[in-house]
Amino acid sequence: DNKKPTKKIISNYIRFLNSKGNSANTISLHYSVILSYLKFSKLNKLREECKDIKLPSKQKIFRKTISLEEFENIKNNVDINNWYKERNYLIFVFCFTTGIRISEINCVKKNLIIDNKLKIRGKGNKMRIIYIPEYTLNLLKKCKRIWWMLKRE
């Protein structure tokens, strides 16, 4: 039987997912798909009504990072006599000391580094400013082959 969706049906479905032990992320995904369907079906009034349905809160995930001791161990045991190893070492140090995302490394350009700060367009197309420690900036300049490869524009 073809019932039209209602806020009550959608709300009951969210409660059902929750009662079955689905994670908050799974429930949020289902909810997002439902809202997208309502938008696609031009059921905008119902879509707006459903925006106040309570969802279980998502838990923040804290990723495990390496310790300073592990970082120093890696840094001190890397052979940088080879261009690729030098490049990889620099990427490793740059990411670790600045907190830049690996996906943003291609966006690093010399003209965007001003006073030890890097302007970068990151995730979600948002501009952010990243502080570059003196050690990292000196290392970057010391690795001339890599420094000159950074695009100027």
Side-chain angles (χ1 to χ4, degrees):
D1 108 61
N2 284 340
K3 287 186 177 179
K4 281 191 168 190
T6 64
K7 181 179 177 182
K8 185 176 180 181
I9 291 172
I10 294 167
S11 186
N12 286 343
Y13 179 66
I14 297 300
R15 276 197 294 280
F16 168 76
L17 290 173
N18 200 17
S19 72
K20 290 296 181 186
N22 286 288
S23 73
N25 286 342
T26 299
I27 294 169
S28 181
L29 176 65
H30 281 249
Y31 176 72
S32 180
V33 169
I34 290 168
L35 290 183
S36 294
Y37 168 76
L38 294 175
K39 184 178 180 182
F40 171 78
S41 299
K42 296 188 175 26
L43 297 170
N44 294 324
K45 184 178 176 198
L46 178 58
R47 185 171 184 266
E48 286 303 314
E49 289 173 16
C50 289
K51 284 189 176 180
D52 67 354
I53 293 175
K54 298 279 188 234
L55 299 175
S57 58
K58 295 182 189 178
Q59 288 184 334
K60 298 272 185 207
I61 297 173
F62 295 100
R63 309 240 187 267
K64 186 177 187 283
T65 59
I66 64 173
S67 68
L68 186 56
E69 184 180 309
E70 291 168 318
F71 169 76
E72 289 294 334
N73 189 24
I74 293 169
K75 190 176 76 137
N76 293 331
N77 289 304
V78 172
D79 173 22
I80 58 171
N81 295 324
N82 171 308
W83 185 84
Y84 292 109
K85 290 179 182 176
E86 183 180 40
R87 180 203 60 191
N88 293 345
Y89 172 75
L90 185 59
I91 289 171
F92 171 72
V93 170
F94 196 82
C95 289
F96 186 85
T97 59
T98 63
I100 193 172
R101 296 175 182 97
I102 197 73
S103 61
E104 296 169 336
I105 207 82
N106 290 343
C107 301
V108 175
K109 296 172 179 59
K110 280 192 288 190
N111 67 331
L112 297 178
I113 300 173
I114 300 167
D115 297 328
N116 288 32
K117 293 181 190 113
L118 168 67
K119 274 175 90 174
I120 196 152
R121 189 167 305 279
K123 197 170 155 184
N125 209 20
K126 295 176 196 158
M127 278 303 265
R128 59 189 192 125
I129 297 175
I130 298 169
Y131 173 74
I132 303 175
E134 196 68 40
Y135 167 81
T136 306
L137 195 57
N138 289 338
L139 182 65
L140 185 62
K141 289 176 181 176
K142 190 170 118 182
C143 300
K144 291 189 185 326
R145 289 178 286 193
I146 295 170
W147 178 251
W148 291 113
M149 285 177 63
L150 295 176
K151 295 176 185 171
R152 296 179 188 208
E153 297 175 25

